[in-house]
Amino acid sequence: MTCREISWLLAGGGPLPEDAAQHLAACEACRKLTALGETVVPASLSAELEQRLVTAATQALRPVRPLGPPGRYMAALLGAAAAVAAAGIAVMGTAGWTANGTLTRAYFVTMLATGLAAAAATLSRMMFPGALPRLSPALVMAAALAAVLTGGADFPVRHYAHFGRAAAACFSIGLAHAALAGAAAALVLRRGLVLARGKAAALAGLLGGLAGLSVLFAFCPHLDLGHYLLGHASMTAAATALGWALAAGYERLLPRAHSG
Amino acid sequence: MAAPLRQQTDLRDLLLRYQQGDTAAAAELVRAASPMLLRFCLGQGDTRDEVEDVLQEIWLRIHRARHTYRPENPAEPWLYAIARYTRLDARRRRSRFRAREVQVDPLPEVAAASPPDTASTSMAALLAVLPPGQREVLLLLKGCGMSLEEVARATCSTVGAVKQKAHRAYERLRAAVGGVQREAAE
């Protein structure tokens, strides 16, 4: 048995096998590492500190109802994003949906549904401290933004007179919907205790961005790569970044406000 | 080495009674959980004074967030997750304030800082060579006796990532311990 194997066994947390004893007898470094957990003895609190802590934990103590299961909040987050997207599509129309081909529609519907579900599932688990994350928030954001970018692969490159104005209009429309959906998500998240606020805010921004992208996909008849990348895909990335920036700004301006 | 089942059950039971507004259970929970939270913070190199302030903040946050505990989840990762983020917030706040501080007068002489807790000095000294993330994982695994899954829950990470971090921490510690041995031999 080698030192490296001992490290893996120790990292795994399980008991060491019998043949490790021979290695430990010969290797002082491994013996020290094995004894690491045994060097700890309980830390003690002074009576005064203990009383202060009891006071902190019992002030205005009244019964509280535990939060419902994460699935309930995932449904609420999805519902909020879907409501914003549906309202946007009802107001703006469906010219883009009609202009797109079946394959493009299938790609975007699958991508948007999967992205929204993954963002909502991850966010809902972040409301519960100590919940085992099924997906890493960073991975969800990276995969969703990559899928949004890939969506442009089907569009041709075109040049037309009001390119910049059209892209700016789509960016603003998408971002307005993203802000609405993101704000609704923030209201849901406030019910729990989100500890990784930056990641959660970015993920809420992504959720909003995907809701905005749904509106743009249904409404926008500009089927060209430049417009899609500038007006649609960058709006989704901007919504994600804006969510993160808002959380960072909030923490900087109000360092003690989030202690609850 | 997972947290003893008896302790887990006790903490879960106390947390549930805490949610129901039982003051005696809240006080008992503070007495049962505070030493382990204290050890967790001390093991990461914080001073005793800093830890005592943070500990009070941790309990305030636990108090306000007690409705977020669900009985099907283990209690320790819930407590450590809140403690971990509260401690990180406090550190960030301290470093921000220190960066803005301007000394205008010579500092008065102050009494010596409270001595480090002998309970955790040997482990803390050994862990000091590790980067914060690896130190935290090893402390939770070995110092707090949690399983890989519980550490993953407490640190909002995956079991695989925790195991990888722990392995890297052991490799780094081995190099450090080996270095000490070589120096002693020279």
Side-chain angles (χ1 to χ4, degrees), chain A:
Chain A
M1 188 160 270
T2 63
C3 292
R4 200 175 162 76
E5 284 168 334
I6 295 280
S7 287
W8 273 115
L9 288 168
L10 289 171
L16 293 176
E18 280 179 18
D19 54 337
Q22 203 179 350
H23 177 88
L24 291 179
C27 177
E28 196 186 341
C30 282
R31 264 203 315 278
K32 278 189 179 169
L33 296 189
T34 312
L36 194 62
E38 296 157 16
T39 57
V40 180
V41 289
S44 56
L45 273 74
S46 66
E48 186 220 354
L49 175 62
E50 191 176 275
Q51 191 48 49
R52 274 207 330 253
L53 300 180
V54 170
T55 308
T58 54
Q59 55 171 326
L61 188 62
R62 55 182 164 71
V64 290
R65 201 160 41 154
L67 285 183
R72 186 182 295 174
Y73 298 97
M74 178 186 164
L77 290 164
L78 271 180
V84 169
I89 292 168
V91 172
M92 308 295 297
T94 55
W97 176 265
T98 317
N100 274 300
T102 313
L103 207 64
T104 312
R105 281 185 206 161
Y107 177 82
F108 272 89
V109 168
T110 311
M111 182 263 286
L112 288 168
T114 312
L116 284 167
T122 310
L123 270 175
S124 63
R125 294 189 77 77
M126 291 175 87
M127 294 169 64
F128 297 85
L132 195 62
R134 293 214 175 105
L135 294 166
S136 136
L139 185 72
V140 170
M141 284 186 270
L145 292 175
V148 168
L149 277 176
T150 311
D154 195 33
F155 299 128
V157 178
R158 282 196 196 127
H159 300 281
Y160 45 94
H162 54 281
F163 173 82
R165 217 169 48 213
C170 274
F171 188 93
S172 324
I173 291 167
L175 205 57
H177 286 88
L180 278 177
L187 288 178
V188 175
L189 292 175
R190 276 178 62 89
R191 296 271 300 126
L193 175 66
V194 175
L195 295 170
R197 285 174 295 267
K199 282 183 194 166
L203 213 47
L206 175 71
L207 188 89
L210 291 175
L213 190 64
S214 310
V215 175
L216 293 180
F217 179 68
F219 136 78
C220 177
H222 290 281
L223 306 180
D224 66 277
L225 181 63
H227 178 85
Y228 175 78
L229 289 180
L230 277 179
H232 299 201
S234 65
M235 177 279 299
T236 316
T240 310
L242 197 62
W244 178 84
L246 282 173
Y250 174 76
E251 288 195 17
R252 195 159 275 272
L253 289 172
L254 301 164
R256 292 196 80 96
H258 49 66
S259 60

Side-chain angles (χ1 to χ4, degrees), chain A residues 2-8 10-14 23 27-30 32-34 36-46 49-54 56-70 125-134 136-137 190-193 195-197 199 251-252 254-256 258-260, chain B residues 1 18-23 26-27 30-31 34-35 38-39 42 48 52-53 55-57 59-61 63-73 77-78 81-82 85 89 92-93 96-97 100 117-120 122-123 126-127 138 141-143 148-149 152-154 156-159 163-164 166-167 170-171 173-174 177-178 180-181:
Chain A
T2 63
C3 292
R4 200 175 162 76
E5 284 168 334
I6 295 280
S7 287
W8 273 115
L10 289 171
H23 177 88
C27 177
E28 196 186 341
C30 282
K32 278 189 179 169
L33 296 189
T34 312
L36 194 62
E38 296 157 16
T39 57
V40 180
V41 289
S44 56
L45 273 74
S46 66
L49 175 62
E50 191 176 275
Q51 191 48 49
R52 274 207 330 253
L53 300 180
V54 170
T58 54
Q59 55 171 326
L61 188 62
R62 55 182 164 71
V64 290
R65 201 160 41 154
L67 285 183
R125 294 189 77 77
M126 291 175 87
M127 294 169 64
F128 297 85
L132 195 62
R134 293 214 175 105
S136 136
R190 276 178 62 89
R191 296 271 300 126
L193 175 66
L195 295 170
R197 285 174 295 267
K199 282 183 194 166
E251 288 195 17
R252 195 159 275 272
L254 301 164
R256 292 196 80 96
H258 49 66
S259 60
Chain B
M1 176 176 62
Y18 186 23
Q19 286 181 331
Q20 289 157 10
D22 184 336
T23 313
V30 170
R31 282 180 204 111
S34 293
L38 181 75
R39 196 186 317 136
L42 284 173
R48 179 96 197 186
E52 290 190 359
D53 284 346
L55 210 51
Q56 194 163 343
E57 248 183 84
W59 278 106
L60 277 173
R61 197 176 273 195
H63 177 65
R64 288 176 196 156
R66 62 194 188 279
H67 66 291
T68 64
Y69 175 70
R70 285 186 57 78
E72 69 266 22
N73 291 331
W78 184 83
I82 295 176
Y85 274 94
D89 275 350
R92 270 197 290 264
R93 221 170 31 238
R96 233 176 359 240
F97 286 152
R100 288 178 192 162
D117 200 307
T118 47
S120 51
S122 54
M123 187 168 185
L126 200 55
L127 295 185
L138 219 54
L141 274 173
K142 299 298 165 188
L148 286 173
E149 190 197 308
R153 284 174 177 274
C156 201
S157 183
T158 60
V159 173
K163 193 171 176 182
Q164 184 74 258
H167 178 252
Y170 274 120
E171 288 298 295
L173 276 182
R174 184 191 311 288
V177 168
V180 170
Q181 280 175 320

